[in-house]
Amino acid sequence: MATIDVNKNGLTDEQADIIRQTLPVVGANIGDITPNFYRRMFAAHPELLADTFNRGNQKQGAQQKALAASVATFAATLVDPEAPAPEELLARIGHKHLSVGIVEEQYPIVHKHLFDAIEEILTPEVFQGAVRDAWDAVYLEMQRVLVNFEKGLYDEAGVEPGDVFRAAEVVSRDDLSDDVVVFGVRGKDGELPGFTPGQYISVRQTMSDGARQLRQYSLVGVPGDGVLKFAVRRVRADEAANLPAGEVSNKLCDDVRVGDDIEISLPAGDLVLDTESDAPVVLVSAGIGATPMVGMLNYLAANDSPRRVLSVHADRSEAADVLAAERTAAVSALANGAERRWIEPEFMDLSAGGGVELPEDAEFYICGGNGFLQHVREQLAERGVDRSRIHFELFSPNDWLLDA
């Protein structure tokens, strides 16, 4: 099994002192460093923007914050003897890299352009010599950990690093609403790999300008039948919030029909159901965050699980909750299943006074936006739920907000 192995003693005492002293100034300038970094990297390697990075996230600045802040978060844990290694953060990054086919040779590209950007923003007088060497040591340790972890993931999948995309055919399309479609795909050149409930795939689409953009979608079907099912939500532009329309999602909803060819990645993702456990399960979701939870529920129902299962979900409206019927059907098929739902203006309340009984010693799986996850985690912490039993996935790349 692929493992995260961080060497907390990888820095010299001098390097650790330098990181502690400079971490505040690096963190304070991330907003300037990251646009500079991406401008540099995409100018030198335009293929990365076209074929690897999410252009929508780039327009919003989300990906920039995620990458730069993950390096800063990693640095902070290296120089704090009391801080645990950020294993969840690193695992999420590693699985995302698997889903888009990142290989070891791409890490030096990021290294060069990120550190050149830091030097320009902080000035060479600040970020040179021993200072740059110390940050080099941080990045190279993070690179070592991720490369080894990702090699383990590739080995488990039985593929060469980067060889993750497969040709598939769309065998079903179910329009649940104007904005949500569930696609089913089958391999064209052999059976598609199995997956663990909760995982996702990347879907690659060629855009009108020739860019081959990737997006990730949770799997909602049951492993083992040779068909992978995933839900796609249309993303409409929001000019007031400066949010662009979803390139890949909208193209899938508008153009892809049964019989069409499609390109998908191997399944990835670390928010997965422990299928060997008999512990109670609490599945917590908001909006389209219900998709990985439906996958877990369908697996539990298909296997007649005796586990105690509680599904709790929040949504904007009855109409927006397009997976409600599938969720309810799965819960009803379970011997010990229960569910609860909140529709705005009501909001999910898992606090002690919210009236929801939480199974003792349950494993919690959460998926939703950043604010939702932070809100739920605070409520669970107040109820004494140990952090080790809380597992989560996000809509956006801002993972670091939850672990910073």
Side-chain angles (χ1 to χ4, degrees):
M1 181 177 180
T3 57
I4 300 291
D5 176 26
V6 178
N7 179 11
K8 291 273 287 183
N9 300 311
L11 302 181
T12 67
D13 291 343
E14 180 186 6
Q15 288 172 334
D17 286 340
I18 289 172
I19 296 302
R20 292 189 191 96
Q21 293 166 15
T22 56
L23 188 58
V25 69
V26 171
N29 284 277
I30 279 178
D32 294 323
I33 290 167
T34 50
N36 184 306
F37 155 56
Y38 280 99
R39 284 195 299 271
R40 289 171 173 273
M41 185 171 69
F42 293 147
H45 298 275
E47 75 280 1
L48 291 177
L49 179 59
D51 301 336
T52 300
F53 284 82
N54 182 322
R55 296 194 298 195
N57 284 337
Q58 287 295 314
K59 290 176 182 177
Q60 299 174 56
Q63 184 68 49
Q64 290 96 320
K65 293 178 182 178
L67 190 152
S70 68
V71 175
T73 298
F74 184 76
T77 63
L78 280 187
V79 299
D80 182 355
E82 303 301 319
E87 294 184 356
E88 287 187 339
L89 175 65
L90 294 167
R92 283 197 294 276
I93 294 171
H95 277 276
K96 179 68 175 291
H97 285 178
L98 170 73
S99 79
V100 299
I102 295 295
V103 293
E104 182 176 0
E105 291 74 18
Q106 291 170 310
Y107 278 88
I109 296 173
V110 173
H111 186 188
K112 169 181 168 49
H113 295 291
L114 176 59
F115 280 57
D116 285 352
I118 296 174
E119 182 174 302
E120 180 177 335
I121 297 301
L122 300 188
T123 74
E125 289 72 27
V126 173
F127 197 75
Q128 65 177 347
V131 174
R132 181 155 180 160
D133 289 345
W135 279 94
D136 275 341
V138 169
Y139 184 90
L140 292 174
E141 173 61 12
M142 188 172 178
Q143 173 182 311
R144 183 193 67 80
V145 172
L146 286 171
V147 166
N148 288 343
F149 178 64
E150 290 156 20
K151 283 181 177 177
L153 294 178
Y154 286 126
D155 287 345
E156 288 176 4
V159 300
E160 291 296 314
D163 181 26
V164 298
F165 289 98
R166 300 292 180 266
E169 179 184 359
V170 177
V171 295
S172 65
R173 173 182 169 131
D174 186 6
D175 289 66
L176 302 184
S177 70
D178 289 341
D179 287 337
V180 180
V181 180
V182 175
F183 294 95
V185 299
R186 191 184 297 274
K188 288 180 67 69
D189 303 318
E191 189 169 323
L192 294 173
F195 65 95
T196 305
Q199 287 192 305
Y200 56 81
I201 57 172
S202 288
V203 177
R204 183 152 62 188
Q205 289 280 284
T206 300
M207 313 311 295
S208 59
D209 62 356
R212 303 170 73 201
Q213 283 283 284
L214 299 164
R215 299 295 183 271
Q216 289 72 47
Y217 302 104
S218 295
L219 295 165
V220 298
V222 178
D225 65 357
V227 174
L228 298 184
K229 288 188 174 182
F230 59 94
V232 177
R233 182 185 66 176
R234 183 186 300 279
V235 180
R236 301 183 186 278
D238 185 341
E239 293 183 6
N242 195 31
L243 299 178
E247 284 192 286
V248 175
S249 297
N250 291 1
K251 183 173 175 59
L252 289 169
C253 291
D254 290 339
D255 299 340
V256 175
R257 299 289 183 269
V258 172
D260 287 347
D261 291 343
I262 196 169
E263 195 174 17
I264 67 169
S265 76
L266 303 179
D270 64 317
L271 181 77
V272 294
L273 182 69
D274 184 351
T275 58
E276 301 299 319
S277 173
D278 59 1
V281 176
V282 180
L283 305 176
V284 186
S285 57
I288 201 64
T291 51
M293 307 309 168
V294 166
M296 295 183 194
L297 282 170
N298 283 335
Y299 172 87
L300 292 164
N303 287 275
D304 297 320
S305 174
R307 298 167 72 172
R308 186 175 177 188
V309 179
L310 173 63
S311 168
V312 293
H313 181 73
D315 225 311
R316 303 188 313 274
S317 66
E318 295 269 358
D321 188 11
V322 295
L323 293 169
E326 189 167 357
R327 243 183 8 254
T328 297
V331 169
S332 299
L334 292 166
N336 295 294
E339 66 176 332
R340 174 77 184 273
R341 184 176 69 162
W342 291 261
I343 298 294
E344 291 185 12
E346 289 187 323
F347 294 96
M348 183 178 291
D349 185 359
L350 299 181
S351 68
V356 178
E357 181 184 351
L358 301 179
E360 193 170 346
D361 297 326
E363 295 292 322
F364 291 77
Y365 299 88
I366 314 173
C367 186
N370 295 330
F372 172 76
L373 274 119
Q374 290 168 322
H375 176 66
V376 169
R377 279 178 44 163
E378 288 171 2
Q379 292 185 335
L380 295 180
E382 290 171 0
R383 295 190 67 167
V385 177
D386 190 87
R387 177 66 184 82
S388 65
R389 293 193 283 116
I390 301 174
H391 319 283
F392 58 90
E393 185 61 272
L394 293 152
F395 293 157
S396 71
N398 291 329
D399 311 53
W400 57 277
L401 288 172
L402 297 177
D403 287 323

